[in-house]
């Protein structure tokens, strides 16, 4: 997945700093007297220290910084306390275009870069410097009596005192987190959430308490209220399980944890965010052992199922599934590749994170900290001879361009995009820099979806539809209904009136006429009008038909889907604006 680094000697030969014969002779000398190859070449006076540093930086893919010629800037030195520079052998060299250039010996040390980024609140760019030069600068800093150095010393003393206080606080937090009652409370929260099929757990500090809410079937509801005295121990316990810093409360943190519930291993993504009353934690539950749904189980209407099935059977091109977070886009993609997999097809995925494991599919995890972004991983995947590629999300121009290029070179690409409906995906991609003629050629179709709560079949009741509801249904799907259904609540649905969720969709196939409209940058309304000739029906119409059929309520449809209910006023219905009293100026 990562490109193998070229050996330092081969780089020097390629850049004509030394000859092949000189390299072979140096390698023989290195065998006799083991030491770094660069030092051997310097001793033989074949290269200089500056040339060696430049080649090493080229090998690592970073810039070189020659401290003997480019001393660190005072404004940069003030950003990092001296004891941290000494501890990690780093030198803040300069500030350029809002970036802090950081001299390092090991530029691949992501932990140090992240620590400096959190400390300075600046973008950090590692640059390569020699260990000897860094040590010399650190010694000069220790012997310098400038005002900047005094400030660094003051910062260092304050930091040492803070570390002592932090150590004490850390011990107290750890004791609270490892206390039996706190451990039992956390275990019970996680157990309850998994057993009632919650998708998220929210731990929310209030003024005098901690509120625990579960998201079930898309709705948040309060399930526990814990006294505020247990807040620190509760938060610390969850951060320990996620291997996060328990004494850091000023910046957001992200982690992962795994628990075993009823014999199943459950992964959870953990997000910690400082808030007014303390640290707020949200855990996203990822059950990798959950049974994958098939396309037939996703709730597609028969006409939409035919359109979508035809799209995913195309040999090449790109298919997009759109919708907000939590609308089931990833589930639809998984069901699609599960239907397409075979022993003769190489299917590869690029995900963040890998939510479900599918046998026979090559799944890859994005790692932004290591530089493995969606675009970088997708480029690497394309060198693995794939037939079908799943990209977890198109987030930026680079990922979009790489995905389009893959679709144009004979691959079937499936991905997701955040937008409100299927037609809006096209201007969204054009806005990020995609060329209309490329997009029109590569795009096969776009699907938009939402997840509506389904009425509990055991307690739903039929009622007479109001005049407003009837008029709304007629305006959207062409027919009304004298009766609709309402939730009641029973033991089987936890007195919610709803049980489970079902997808509602709109599928927009890209026909030849649609390709011409996209290339001409036609409006969204024009695209919808053209697509309607080839089977496209709006998600609003699909959802309202579910309400008429008694699967959900019109209120649930209005909660999740934007319904255009605006109608022009007649002249005699225009609202009368009252005249304002005139103000008299004394």
């Amino acid at each position: 997945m990562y490109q193998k680094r070229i050996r330092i000697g081969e780089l020097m030969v390629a850049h004509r700093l030394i000859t092949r014969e000189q390299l072979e002779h140096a390698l023989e000398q290195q065998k006799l007297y083991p030491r770094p190859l660069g030092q051997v070449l310097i001793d033989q006076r074949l290269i200089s220290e500056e040339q060696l540093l430049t080649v090493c930086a080229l090998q690592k893919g970073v810039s070189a910084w020659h401290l003997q010629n480019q001393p660190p800037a005072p404004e940069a030195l003030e950003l990092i306390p001296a004891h941290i520079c000494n501890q990690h052998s780093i030198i803040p060299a300069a500030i350029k275009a809002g970036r802090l250039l950081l001299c390092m010996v090991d530029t691949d040390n992501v932990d140090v870069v992240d620590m400096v980024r959190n400390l300075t609140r600046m973008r950090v760019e590692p640059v390569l410097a020699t260990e000897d030069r860094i040590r010399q600068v650190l010694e000069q800093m220790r012997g310098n009596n400038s005002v900047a150095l005094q400030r660094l010393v003051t910062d260092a003393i304050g930091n040492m005192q803070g570390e002592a206080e932090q150590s004490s606080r850390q011990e107290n937090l750890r004791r609270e987190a490892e206390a039996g009652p706190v451990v039992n409370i956390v275990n019970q929260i996680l157990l309850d959430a998994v057993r009632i099929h919650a998708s998220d757990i929210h731990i929310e500090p209030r003024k005098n308490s901690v509120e625990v809410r579960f998201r079930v079937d898309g709705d948040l509801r309060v399930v526990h209220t814990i006294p505020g005295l247990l807040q620190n121990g509760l938060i610390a316990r969850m951060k320990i399980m996620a291997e996060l810093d328990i004494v850091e409360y000023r910046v957001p943190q992200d982690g992962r944890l795994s628990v075993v519930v009823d014999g199943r291993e459950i992964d959870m993504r953990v997000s910690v965010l400082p808030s007014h009353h303390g640290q707020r934690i949200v855990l996203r539950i990822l059950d990798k052992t959950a049974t994958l749904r098939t396309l037939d189980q996703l709730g597609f209407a028969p006409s939409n199922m035919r359109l979508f099935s035809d799209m995913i059977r195309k040999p090449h091109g790109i298919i997009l599934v759109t919708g907000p977070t939590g609308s089931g886009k990833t589930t639809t993609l998984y069901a699609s590749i599960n239907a397409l997999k075979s022993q003769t097809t190489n299917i590869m995925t690029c995900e963040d994170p890998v939510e479900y494991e599918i046998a026979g599919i090559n799944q890859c995890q994005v790692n932004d900290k290591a530089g493995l972004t969606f675009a970088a991983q997708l480029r690497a995947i394309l060198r693995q001879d794939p037939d079908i590629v799943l990209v977890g999300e198109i987030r930026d121009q680079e990922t979009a361009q790489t995905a389009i290029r893959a679709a144009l070179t004979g691959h079937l690409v499936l991905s997701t995009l955040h937008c409100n409906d299927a037609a809006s995906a096209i201007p969204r991609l054009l806005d990020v820099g995609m060329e209309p003629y490329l997009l029109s050629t590569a795009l096969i179709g776009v699907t938009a979806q939402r997840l509506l709560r389904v009425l509990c079949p055991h307690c739903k009741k039929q009622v007479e539809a109001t005049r407003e509801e009837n008029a709304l249904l007629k305006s959207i799907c062409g027919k009304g209904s004298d009766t609709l259904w309402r939730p009641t609540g029973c033991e089987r649905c936890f007195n919610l009136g709803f049980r489970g969720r079902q997808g509602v969709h709109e599928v927009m196939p890209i026909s030849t006429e649609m390709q011409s409209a996209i290339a001409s940058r036609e409006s969204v309304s024009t695209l919808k009008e053209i697509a309607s000739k080839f089977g496209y029906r709006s998600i609003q119409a699909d959802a309202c038909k579910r309400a008429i059929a008694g699967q959900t309520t019109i209120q649930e449809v209005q909660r999740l889907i934007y319904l255009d209910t605006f109608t022009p006023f007649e002249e005699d219905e225009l609202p009368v604006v009252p005249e304002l009293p005139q103000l008299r100026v004394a």
Side-chain angles (χ1 to χ4, degrees):
M1 197 171 294
Y2 295 101
Q3 186 176 2
K4 188 176 180 181
R5 285 181 176 171
I6 304 175
R7 292 180 178 274
I8 196 73
E10 296 296 334
L11 272 175
M12 291 184 184
V13 172
H15 287 78
R16 299 182 180 180
L17 295 176
I18 58 175
T19 64
R20 176 67 60 182
E21 292 74 17
Q22 290 172 332
L23 173 61
E24 291 174 355
H25 178 68
L27 290 173
E28 292 295 329
Q29 292 294 314
Q30 188 184 31
K31 292 178 182 178
L32 295 174
Y33 306 100
R35 60 196 191 279
L37 177 62
Q39 190 60 49
V40 174
L41 294 171
I42 289 175
D43 292 344
Q44 295 179 350
R45 298 184 178 180
L46 295 175
I47 62 171
S48 65
E49 178 185 333
E50 289 81 1
Q51 290 174 323
L52 175 62
L53 181 63
T54 301
V55 174
C56 289
L58 180 64
Q59 183 194 38
K60 291 176 174 289
V62 297
S63 300
W65 193 272
H66 305 284
L67 284 168
Q68 66 273 27
N69 302 323
Q70 300 169 288
E75 62 271 19
L77 289 174
E78 292 178 9
L79 294 175
I80 305 178
H83 74 282
I84 293 181
C85 294
N86 282 291
Q87 180 181 352
H88 299 286
S89 294
I90 56 176
I91 298 291
I95 300 172
K96 291 186 178 181
R99 294 172 294 124
L100 175 64
L101 303 184
L102 186 68
C103 290
M104 304 175 65
V105 177
D106 181 10
T107 55
D108 294 329
N109 194 330
V110 179
D111 293 334
V112 172
V113 173
D114 287 343
M115 179 269 296
V116 173
R117 183 185 299 116
N118 292 333
L119 179 66
T120 61
R121 296 288 191 273
M122 294 182 67
R123 291 169 54 198
V124 177
E125 179 181 340
V127 293
L128 186 66
T130 63
E131 187 174 5
D132 290 338
R133 296 296 180 183
I134 289 179
R135 189 183 305 114
Q136 290 175 11
V137 173
L138 291 175
E139 290 174 357
Q140 292 173 4
M141 289 170 58
R142 283 194 291 268
N144 191 354
N145 292 321
S146 65
V147 175
L149 181 61
Q150 291 298 325
R151 187 180 291 111
L152 291 174
V153 171
T154 303
D155 290 342
I157 293 173
N159 199 281
M160 290 173 62
Q161 292 174 347
E163 284 182 350
E165 294 174 1
Q166 191 178 54
S167 176
S168 175
R169 184 170 183 267
Q170 182 173 1
E171 292 176 3
N172 292 335
L173 282 175
R174 192 171 292 277
R175 279 197 297 269
E176 290 183 40
E178 293 176 351
V182 172
V183 172
N184 292 336
I185 289 172
V186 171
N187 291 345
Q188 191 62 49
I189 290 173
L190 302 182
L191 185 68
D192 291 345
V194 173
R195 285 182 174 173
I196 70 170
H197 306 293
S199 60
D200 300 88
I201 304 171
H202 291 239
I203 311 296
E204 302 174 336
R206 305 302 184 204
K207 187 174 182 180
N208 298 312
S209 63
V210 179
E211 204 169 75
V212 181
R213 298 198 289 172
F214 293 166
R215 188 177 293 278
V216 181
D217 291 337
D219 255 9
L220 276 173
R221 55 190 178 111
V222 178
V223 291
H224 301 292
T225 301
I226 299 171
L229 291 174
L230 296 175
Q231 174 179 328
N232 292 336
L234 188 71
I235 301 298
R237 175 61 185 169
M238 289 192 171
K239 292 175 76 172
I240 288 173
M241 294 176 69
E243 298 182 354
L244 300 175
D245 186 353
I246 63 175
V247 296
E248 178 57 75
Y249 59 90
R250 300 163 297 177
V251 296
Q253 297 184 68
D254 295 301
R256 299 177 70 94
L257 62 87
S258 295
V259 295
V260 178
V261 177
D262 300 331
R264 294 181 298 152
E265 185 176 356
I266 309 294
D267 284 352
M268 298 185 183
R269 281 188 300 175
V270 183
S271 173
V272 184
L273 178 71
S275 65
H276 181 59
H277 293 296
Q279 298 173 84
R280 186 180 190 276
I281 295 184
V282 174
L283 299 94
R284 168 63 59 91
I285 300 174
L286 306 171
D287 186 0
K288 292 188 176 181
T289 63
T291 304
L292 286 174
R293 295 194 177 193
T294 63
L295 289 175
D296 295 333
Q297 297 173 325
L298 297 181
F300 278 101
S303 58
N304 285 336
M305 174 60 81
R306 286 195 298 271
L307 289 173
F308 190 75
S309 298
D310 288 344
M311 288 187 334
I312 65 173
R313 300 293 174 184
K314 302 291 184 185
H316 55 80
I318 183 167
I319 299 171
L320 296 175
V321 180
T322 70
T325 302
S327 59
K329 301 186 296 296
T330 303
T331 301
T332 299
L333 291 185
Y334 278 146
S336 301
I337 62 173
N338 200 34
L340 294 172
K341 71 176 183 180
S342 69
Q343 292 185 346
T344 60
T345 304
N346 179 19
I347 301 179
M348 303 194 69
T349 73
C350 171
E351 305 174 60
D352 184 24
V354 175
E355 295 190 15
Y356 300 97
E357 295 180 3
I358 309 176
I361 305 296
N362 304 290
Q363 298 174 266
C364 306
Q365 169 77 49
V366 167
N367 187 344
D368 286 330
K369 287 186 177 180
L372 189 61
T373 61
F374 272 113
Q377 190 175 75
L378 182 54
R379 286 195 297 270
I381 284 175
L382 294 178
R383 296 192 289 270
Q384 293 284 313
D385 186 30
D387 298 298
I388 300 172
V389 180
L390 185 153
V391 183
E393 182 183 347
I394 292 180
R395 295 178 178 174
D396 50 39
Q397 180 182 12
E398 187 180 9
T399 307
Q401 289 178 338
T402 309
I404 294 292
R405 194 177 301 116
L408 292 172
T409 53
H411 305 87
L412 179 62
V413 180
L414 296 91
S415 188
T416 69
L417 190 68
H418 285 285
C419 55
N420 291 326
D421 55 34
S424 299
I426 294 166
R428 173 78 186 278
L429 289 172
L430 295 177
D431 286 343
V432 299
M434 295 306 305
E435 293 293 340
Y437 70 93
L438 291 178
L439 181 60
S440 63
T441 306
L443 195 60
I444 297 173
V446 187
T447 298
Q449 66 179 61
R450 302 288 190 278
L451 293 177
L452 292 178
R453 290 184 297 170
V454 178
L455 284 167
C456 175
H458 303 286
C459 63
K460 67 177 183 179
K461 65 176 182 179
Q462 196 170 22
V463 298
E464 185 178 351
T466 66
R467 186 176 63 178
E468 292 77 11
E469 289 173 338
N470 205 5
L472 178 64
L473 293 173
K474 284 182 179 179
S475 67
I476 292 178
C477 56
K479 66 175 182 177
S481 177
D482 295 331
T483 59
L484 290 172
W485 296 84
R486 297 280 190 268
T488 301
C490 63
E491 293 182 357
R492 301 189 186 187
C493 62
F494 303 101
N495 291 316
L496 296 174
F498 296 91
R499 190 173 182 182
R501 290 188 291 175
Q502 189 177 65
V504 289
H505 310 81
E506 63 180 25
V507 182
M508 178 175 284
I510 306 301
S511 60
T512 305
E513 191 174 345
M514 281 285 288
Q515 289 178 342
S516 300
I518 294 171
S520 302
R521 292 182 177 266
E522 296 289 350
S523 65
V524 169
S525 58
T526 303
L527 294 175
K528 289 182 178 180
E529 183 179 350
I530 296 172
S532 64
K533 303 176 185 177
F534 302 93
Y536 165 79
R537 296 295 179 268
S538 71
I539 193 171
Q540 291 88 348
D542 190 21
C544 287
K545 287 179 180 178
R546 309 295 175 98
I548 294 174
Q551 298 174 6
T552 189
T553 67
I554 193 67
Q555 289 75 24
E556 177 69 6
V557 173
Q558 290 176 308
R559 185 180 71 88
L560 281 181
I561 299 174
Y562 179 82
L563 302 180
D564 186 1
T565 57
F566 298 111
T567 56
F569 280 102
E570 297 294 338
E571 187 173 351
D572 58 348
E573 294 179 345
L574 288 174
V576 178
V577 180
E579 292 185 3
L580 295 176
Q582 294 183 356
L583 297 178
R584 294 184 179 180
V585 181

